[in-house]
Every structure is written in C-alpha cells, then in structure tokens.
Amino acid sequence: MVAPQPAPTGGAPARPRGRWWWLKWVAGIAVVALLVAEGVYLWPRLHDSWQALTEIHWGWVAACILAQAVSLSGYGRVQKQLLHAGAVDVSQRKSVAVVYASTAMAVTLPAGQVFSTAFTYRETRRWGASPVVASWQLAISGVIAGIGLALLGLGGAMMVGGSFSPLTLLLSVAALVALVLAIRYVSAHPNTIESVALWVLTRVNRMRSKPPNTGMSIVRETLAQLESVQMGKRDWAITAGWSAVHRVADVACLGFACWAIGADPRLSGLLIAFAAGKTVGTIPLAPGGLVFVDATLIATLTTAASISASQAVAAAFVYRAVSFILVAIVGWIVFAFLFRGHQHEDLEFDVELERREQREQFHQFERRLSARDDGTPPDPNP
C-alpha cells in the first residue's frame, strides 16, 4: 500500500482530481467552437445590420422615442383613471413618474416584476388609496393590458389568415367582466355581501372552535374599501381608450424602428412580432427578457413581417434601445430624484397610516349601513 503524500507545510491538502475532470475542458472548448462557428455564420448578416445602423434615419428614431413616450403616458392615464374610480385623484405627472420608475425596475432587476408591483402599490397607498383600491388598480390594469395584447395578436393572425386560439382572450375578458360585476354588486348590495360572509364565517369559526364573529371586522373593512370604487361606463370607456393608446403607440414604436433602418414591414407581421415579443418578455428568465425578447423579435420580424434578417436585427436593436435601455435610464433617474427618499421613511408611519385609514373606512361603512337601515339617505360628506 502506498502511503499518502503529506501535505506541503503550511498549505491545505492537495485536492484529488475527479474521474471526469476533463469533461469541463471539453465542454468549454465546445462552447467556444460553437460561438466561433455562429460568429462566422452570422457575420455577413451582422455586417449588413451594422451597415443599416450606420445609414439610420434619425427622424424615424425621434418618432420611435416619441411613440414610446406616448405609450407610457397612456399607461399612466389608465392608472390615473382606475384610481379616480376609487376616489383617489392623482396628477398625470405623478402617475407617469411611477410608471417610468416601476418599468425601470421591471426590466432591469432580477424578479423585477415583484419589485415593480410592490413599488407601485406603495406609491398608490401614499396617494391615499386604500389597500383594496391599490390592489384593484394593479389587477385591473394588468387584465386590460393582457386583453389589449391578445387583441393585437389576434388582429395580426387574422390579417394573414392564420389560425388563432381565442381562449386566452376569452378568459381575460371573462375575468375582467367578473371583476366589474362583482365590484358593482358589492357597491350596490353591501348588506347582502355582509350577510353571506357572516353565514360562511359562522360555520368556519364553528369548525375552528372560534367565536362566530371572528374575522368579521376584516370583511367589513374590505367591503368599506370596495364600496368606494365607483367605476361607471364612462370610466371604463376612458380606461379602454387610454389602454389602446398605450398598446398602439408601442406597436408604432416598433414600426418606426423598422422604418428607421430602411425596412418596410407588413402590418400583420408587425402586430404578430410585437405580441410575441411582449408575451416572451413576461417569462421571468432574464431582466427585461434580455436575449429571449430580442431573438423572438428578430425571428418573427423575419418570418412574419417579411423583412431581411439583417434588417430584423437592426430594427430589434433600435426598438430595444428605446423601449428597454432608454426607458430604464429615464426610469431610474426619475426614481432617484422623486422616490428614493420614500424608501428610507419610518415603517411605523406607514403602518399607523394604514390602521387609521382602515378605522375611518370601517366607521364610514357603519354609518352608511345605519342610514340605509333607517331609510334615510346617507351623508354625502361623512
């Protein structure tokens, strides 16, 4: 038996090589060879794309930037209108500022959508929105945005005569209608909802050996907050219109990016490429869908929009430079100047604010219920 070699003085014992140590070298060489092969294969196209970028039409680039600004402004107006339905009035400037900052978080941070949603929720709470109204705004704006994206994809597919499953669109519309009807019913029939909730809680608490009214205060607080949401037909029309502006302007941004590098894409293919890129961008694989969105845009612009591969690469670069890089830069600047100080405020202040608002909402709800039971009109200024 061979005795093990002693470790060098003052050093750690020598780590023996694994049986398959050579595989990492083979894998590394294979990756390098693949990258070199792809570079050789793609070089003519990249060279053509670079030529297209050097001959870029800066007027269309300016139109691309303007269209993206209009798109984000439209989304800010959607947020503003939904909050207005919840009795929260905020200026367009503040709403758009939150949109820019939250978008920057969403496209640059790992798990950016989580940070973006939390940031938007916190800021809307600072504007005076109750927890339910702030959550309502986030949920409804997301559903409306999803419906708009599905409509664009459906429109592109119908223009080329392709097949398109309307299941996603139907589910989104059904969810939106259900939310609208539920909130309108709660606003008009709070007594019925409270009675049903009390019936359910009584039986659940009986199974848990709890007092019958356990949890009823939370239900009443939630009902009081939901009752403040008054979304009429005019509000829905305005919200839908600004949501359309948001999506159409973003599509225009992609189209202007194509024209900026001298391409002439088909409208149907442009809609399909946009819908595909945005859909892939929702998958949390990389911040802002980096690489995945770009590859999807290049592939769909080439196949569906009937432009060359070199033009698709250049157009995707221009569009992403505006909608991803430029928006992220502007968003973080806005965050640094307008919202950075909010992150360092005392947490106890936020907790006390929420508790005070919940108490006020609860007392207001109790007064309205008493007025309805007595048959007297509720006080418009409780």
Side-chain angles (χ1 to χ4, degrees):
M1 179 180 294
V2 179
Q5 296 294 325
T9 303
R15 186 176 181 179
R17 289 181 174 180
R19 182 178 180 182
W20 307 102
W21 62 270
W22 52 273
L23 283 179
K24 64 180 181 180
W25 290 99
V26 173
I29 294 172
V31 170
V32 172
L34 179 62
L35 292 175
V36 171
E38 288 184 349
V40 172
Y41 174 75
L42 293 174
W43 173 250
R45 295 164 179 80
L46 294 175
H47 179 71
D48 293 341
S49 299
W50 177 252
Q51 285 293 116
L53 289 174
T54 57
E55 299 172 358
I56 197 168
H57 301 277
W58 291 104
W60 287 120
V61 174
C64 186
I65 295 173
L66 178 61
Q68 189 62 217
V70 171
S71 174
L72 293 176
S73 180
Y75 194 73
R77 192 57 189 263
V78 170
Q79 177 177 257
K80 171 182 168 65
Q81 193 66 35
L82 290 174
L83 289 173
H84 175 74
V88 178
D89 290 322
V90 62
S91 67
Q92 176 71 359
R93 183 184 67 84
K94 289 183 178 179
S95 182
V96 172
V98 166
V99 169
Y100 271 96
S102 62
T103 302
M105 293 180 183
V107 300
T108 56
L109 296 177
Q113 288 293 342
V114 176
F115 290 100
S116 172
T117 302
F119 168 76
T120 302
Y121 175 86
R122 188 179 180 87
E123 291 304 318
T124 53
R125 291 284 290 114
R126 291 181 183 277
W127 296 336
S130 66
V132 171
V133 171
S135 301
W136 133 273
Q137 185 274 134
L138 287 167
I140 295 298
S141 60
V143 171
I144 293 175
I147 292 175
L149 188 61
L151 285 173
L152 289 174
L154 175 62
M158 292 178 62
M159 292 174 81
V160 297
S163 60
F164 184 88
S165 175
L167 180 60
T168 302
L169 177 62
L170 291 177
L171 289 176
S172 299
V173 173
L176 179 62
V177 171
L179 281 172
V180 173
L181 294 178
I183 290 176
R184 294 188 68 176
Y185 186 84
V186 168
S187 299
H189 307 85
N191 290 326
T192 303
I193 300 300
E194 184 181 10
S195 300
V196 172
L198 180 61
W199 184 87
V200 173
L201 278 176
T202 300
R203 280 147 184 80
V204 172
N205 289 329
R206 184 184 303 166
M207 295 171 58
R208 299 170 58 202
S209 300
K210 299 282 187 179
N213 289 332
T214 301
M216 197 61 200
S217 60
I218 298 176
V219 173
R220 286 170 176 163
E221 291 170 2
T222 303
L223 288 174
Q225 294 171 23
L226 279 176
E227 193 179 9
S228 65
V229 178
Q230 301 292 334
M231 197 76 174
K233 294 180 180 179
R234 181 176 180 273
D235 294 312
W236 283 114
I238 294 175
T239 302
W242 282 110
S243 181
V245 170
H246 163 60
R247 285 304 191 191
V248 171
D250 206 355
V251 174
C253 180
L254 179 59
F256 293 153
C258 293
W259 291 341
I261 53 89
D264 187 17
R266 296 169 56 185
L267 178 58
S268 58
L270 201 65
L271 295 176
I272 293 173
F274 175 83
K278 289 296 181 182
T279 302
V280 172
T282 61
I283 303 174
L285 297 175
L290 192 63
V291 177
F292 299 99
V293 172
D294 305 280
T296 301
L297 285 174
I298 292 170
T300 49
L301 285 174
T302 303
T303 56
S306 300
I307 64 177
S308 66
S310 60
Q311 290 177 327
V313 171
F317 176 82
V318 174
Y319 174 71
R320 293 284 279 169
V322 173
S323 64
F324 177 23
I325 299 175
L326 182 60
V327 169
I329 293 173
V330 173
W332 282 117
I333 293 174
V334 169
F335 176 83
F337 278 92
L338 298 181
F339 303 110
R340 185 181 178 184
H342 292 181
Q343 312 308 307
H344 302 288
E345 293 182 357
D346 193 358
L347 180 61
E348 294 181 0
F349 172 79
D350 293 334
V351 173
E352 180 59 29
L353 172 65
E354 184 162 331
R355 288 175 178 172
R356 185 171 67 249
E357 289 181 349
Q358 288 177 348
R359 289 194 297 266
E360 291 174 355
Q361 291 279 358
F362 174 71
H363 293 319
Q364 180 180 344
F365 183 67
E366 288 287 343
R367 285 193 294 268
R368 290 180 179 176
L369 284 181
S370 300
R372 286 170 182 160
D373 292 339
D374 296 340
T376 59
D379 185 3
N381 297 304

